[in-house]
Structures are given as C-alpha cells and as structure tokens.
C-alpha cells in the first residue's frame, strides 16, 4: 500500500474535542533514606505540577499538531479543576466551552515519581481521586448543547471517554448526525462502545475490544481472532475504520476499504519506553487529524503510531508536536496486511 512520509499542514483544520477532563498531578522527589516507621523509601519533595489528562490531553495534542482546537468538558469547583483550566489556558486552546460544576470532583490522578539526581524520574505510586457519583442529566445535556453548537463550525470531532460521565448516548446521536454531515468523528472509548454507531472511527485498546466482543483479552493475541473481533465490531457499529491499540505490540486497523484481515503496524519508537501515560490520547488525536486531512486509513494509523511512539519516550502526559511528528514519521514502521 503506497504511504507517504509527509505530514500534512494541519493548521487549516478546525477540531472540537469533548469528553472527560482529568487533572494529572505529579509529585517529584529524591530518595532520601528508609523510613523507621515501615519498610518504605522516604522521598525528599523537590516539586510538583498539574498537567492535562483525558480530553484535555487530546486537545493539547491537536493544538500542538497545529489544528485550531476547541474543548468541551466539565471540571469541579475544586483546586484541581481550577489549576487544570489554568494549564489549558496557557495554550491557545479555546476553553470557553468548559463547564465548572461546583459540587463535582475533578478526576485527579496523582503520580509520585522519584529518582537520584541526573536520573530519569520513575513512577513509584499512583493515587486516583474520583467523583463519588455521576454527572447530573442537566450537565450532560449542557455538554451536548455545546457540542451541537460547534458541529457546523468544525472539520472533525474527537470524543474522549474515560468513563466519568461526560460521554453518553445523547452525545452518540449528535456524533452520528455530525458524521452524516461530513464531519470526521473519532471516538476513543472506555464505556461507550455499545451506542456509538455510524461514525468515522473508534480507537479501542485490546481490553476494550475484548469486552465489547465477548472475548478474553488473551484470546486476541491470536491475529485471526483479533481480526474476527475487530471486523465484527466495525461492521456492527457501521464504522469506516476501527483502530485497535495494542501497546508495545503495535496497532491494527479494520475497515470497509481493507480485506477482512485488516492491516497491522509494529509499535513505533525506541524499545526503552519511559512512560505510556497519554499515548492513547496522542494516537486518537493524530488519527483524527490525519483522516480529516484526507489521508487513507493505513496512512492515518501509521501517523498515529509514530506520534504515540514520540510521547512514550517522555515522562507524563506529553504531546507530539508537528515538528516531532515530521522527524519521527520517515523512520516509523509501515503497515502490512495482517497475517
């Protein structure tokens, strides 16, 4: 299949992102000594920061690749929510569609990292703070109203579902209508696979594909079973493309324009992965832009794979810029027919 090493100019593309906003909280420390209280290492605190996870990370990746990006989501009236909006506001993202719900707890992932001086920080512990309940119907409806208002103004819509309630059946109907109107619509799913139908592409990981098709995860190690499951989900959900992300095993693509076996690409990047946080966000964002720019499915998957290979070499939920993608793409693996 003829593929290009050229990264399109994405600056003319307008993209809306909707989904679950997550605050990524990083605590950094240096090993000091063993505690006398318990057999654990004491870290001396050297810093901390807030980053954007979930839909926020998707939006930052789109912006870093050059697209004009608008973001719809919800934060709580808490400190992580306020700091997350500040971080997003430091870019040129359009964040005026973010809702603040005072009694909502902003999903927050605290990662504790430590290392000796001049060594790469390694994650030692993660603590998740999550909302106790679900978003009120009124908030979900407000999200849908904002997305509906943006559909006529964008070339692509990227939906980031992390299971915190921003993505539901109401949004699925808007997404289907947008796809019918010619908007490229891509879903990165968590709990929403069953009701998103008739859109451009869905990007499940292997575990999500297994749950959706009734397989055990290890059954999908067999390429034949993987192809059968992927093609079934793509067909049943009336998708143009289904891209399955498989971590360090690469990516697989299924769709109407391919043989039933689909195509496969090995994981891009160096073997020594530093941090996989947010790689799926980067892949979904890059796939969205590539498809909106008119690239073929295999070309778009290769580009998404190359971008994901860039961010796993950095700590935290990093983004892939257009210049980094231009450097990585020529050396990225080429998709082949699935064997």
């Amino acid at each position: 299949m003829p593929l290009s090493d050229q990264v399109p100019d994405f600056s003319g593309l307008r993209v809306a992102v909707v989904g679950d906003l997550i605050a990524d909280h990083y605590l950094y420390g240096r090993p000091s000594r063993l505690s006398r209280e318990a057999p654990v290492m004491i870290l001396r605190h050297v810093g901390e920061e807030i980053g954007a996870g979930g839909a926020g990370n998707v939006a930052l990746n789109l912006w870093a690749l050059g697209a004009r990006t608008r973001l719809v989501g919800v934060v709580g009236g808490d400190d992580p929510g306020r700091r997350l909006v500040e971080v997003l506001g430091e870019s040129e993202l359009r964040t005026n569609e973010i809702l603040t719900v005072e009694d909502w707890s902003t999903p927050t992932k605290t990662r504790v990292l430590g290392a000796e001086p001049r060594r790469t920080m390694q994650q030692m512990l993660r603590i998740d703070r999550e909302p106790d309940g679900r978003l009120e119907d009124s908030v979900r409806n407000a999200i849908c109203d904002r997305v509906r208002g943006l559909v006529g103004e964008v070339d692509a819509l990227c939906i980031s579902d992390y299971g915190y309630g921003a993505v539901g059946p109401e949004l699925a109907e808007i997404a289907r209508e947008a796809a019918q109107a010619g908007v490229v619509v891509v879903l990165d799913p968590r709990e929403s696979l069953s009701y998103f139908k008739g859109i451009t592409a869905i990007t499940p990981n292997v575990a999500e594909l297994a749950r959706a098709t009734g397989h055990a995860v290890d059954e999908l190690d067999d390429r034949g079973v993987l192809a059968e499951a992927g093609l079934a989900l793509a067909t049943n959900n009336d998708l143009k493309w289904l891209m399955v992300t498989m971590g360090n095993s690469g990516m697989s693509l299924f769709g109407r324009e391919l043989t039933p076996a689909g195509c496969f690409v090995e994981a891009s990047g160096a073997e020594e992965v530093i941090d996989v946080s947010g790689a799926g966000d980067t892949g979904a964002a890059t796939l969205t832009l590539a498809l909106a720019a008119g690239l073929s499915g295999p070309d778009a998957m290769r580009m998404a794979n190359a971008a994901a290979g860039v961010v796993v070499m950095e700590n935290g939920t990093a983004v892939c810029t257009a210049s980094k993608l231009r450097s990585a793409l020529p050396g990225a693996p080429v998709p082949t027919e699935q064997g």
Side-chain angles (χ1 to χ4, degrees):
M1 55 188 75
L3 298 173
S4 172
D5 285 338
Q6 300 299 311
V7 176
D9 180 4
F10 296 130
S11 61
L13 294 176
R14 303 161 301 166
V15 186
V17 180
V18 59
D20 297 301
L21 294 175
I22 298 170
D24 282 338
H25 179 213
Y26 297 94
L27 288 173
Y28 302 105
R30 299 293 183 195
S32 173
R33 62 190 185 278
L34 287 175
S35 172
R36 291 196 295 264
E37 302 168 0
V40 296
M41 177 64 68
I42 294 175
L43 296 181
R44 181 179 181 183
H45 180 268
V46 296
E48 63 183 280
E49 62 181 334
I50 288 283
N57 189 39
V58 173
L60 287 177
N61 273 276
L62 289 163
W63 171 74
L65 288 167
R68 289 177 283 169
T69 308
R70 301 177 74 165
L71 176 60
V72 181
V74 176
V75 296
D78 48 16
D79 184 61
R82 289 190 292 271
R83 293 173 69 185
L84 175 56
V85 172
E86 289 175 1
V87 167
L88 292 167
E90 292 171 359
S91 68
E92 296 176 5
L93 285 175
R94 297 278 296 276
T95 58
N96 56 307
E97 304 291 349
I98 296 177
L99 295 165
T100 299
V101 178
E102 291 300 328
D103 59 355
W104 176 252
S105 296
T106 305
T108 304
K109 298 178 180 179
T110 297
R111 296 175 174 91
V112 180
L113 297 92
E116 295 284 357
R118 296 184 297 278
R119 298 281 183 101
T120 300
M121 286 280 182
Q122 298 292 328
Q123 186 176 159
M124 304 174 67
L125 178 69
R126 194 178 101 180
I127 304 167
D128 288 2
R129 285 170 281 183
E130 300 179 314
D132 291 328
R134 53 173 280 149
L135 284 170
E136 297 288 340
D137 289 344
S138 60
V139 177
R140 291 159 66 99
N141 290 336
I143 291 172
C144 288
D145 289 342
R146 281 161 170 73
V147 174
R148 190 179 287 109
L150 293 176
V151 164
E153 303 176 11
V154 298
D155 305 295
L157 172 65
C158 191
I159 303 165
S160 177
D161 175 23
Y162 271 78
Y164 291 113
V167 179
E170 313 91 341
L171 187 59
E173 181 60 25
I174 297 171
R176 185 183 64 81
E177 293 171 357
Q180 290 177 340
V183 176
V184 169
V185 180
V186 175
L187 167 70
D188 189 9
R190 179 66 57 89
E191 299 179 350
S192 52
L193 273 171
S194 62
Y195 40 79
F196 272 84
K197 302 180 187 298
I199 65 174
T200 311
I202 293 181
T203 63
N205 60 31
V206 173
E208 290 157 352
L209 177 62
R211 284 197 301 271
T213 56
H215 288 86
V217 174
D218 57 5
E219 289 179 332
L220 299 186
D221 291 339
D222 183 305
R223 291 282 177 82
V225 177
L226 176 69
E228 180 182 339
L231 186 61
L233 185 58
T235 301
N236 293 340
N237 285 37
D238 190 24
L239 307 172
K240 186 172 183 180
W241 301 109
L242 179 84
M243 186 179 81
V244 185
T245 59
M246 303 181 292
N248 60 9
S249 295
M251 297 177 176
S252 288
L253 185 72
F254 306 95
R256 304 168 190 161
E257 300 174 12
L258 300 175
T259 67
C263 64
F264 164 78
V265 65
E266 295 179 354
S268 183
E271 293 183 2
E272 294 298 323
V273 171
I274 293 175
D275 191 343
V276 299
S277 302
D281 299 332
T282 300
T286 309
L287 181 79
T288 301
L289 284 185
L291 292 175
L295 272 65
S296 70
D299 243 332
M301 177 176 69
R302 181 178 183 233
M303 197 167 291
N305 186 49
V310 169
V311 300
V312 297
M313 299 309 300
E314 301 181 31
N315 260 321
T317 46
V319 299
C320 180
T321 63
S323 61
K324 289 178 180 178
L325 183 56
R326 282 192 292 268
S327 297
L329 188 61
V334 174
T336 59
E337 184 170 326
Q338 197 125 247

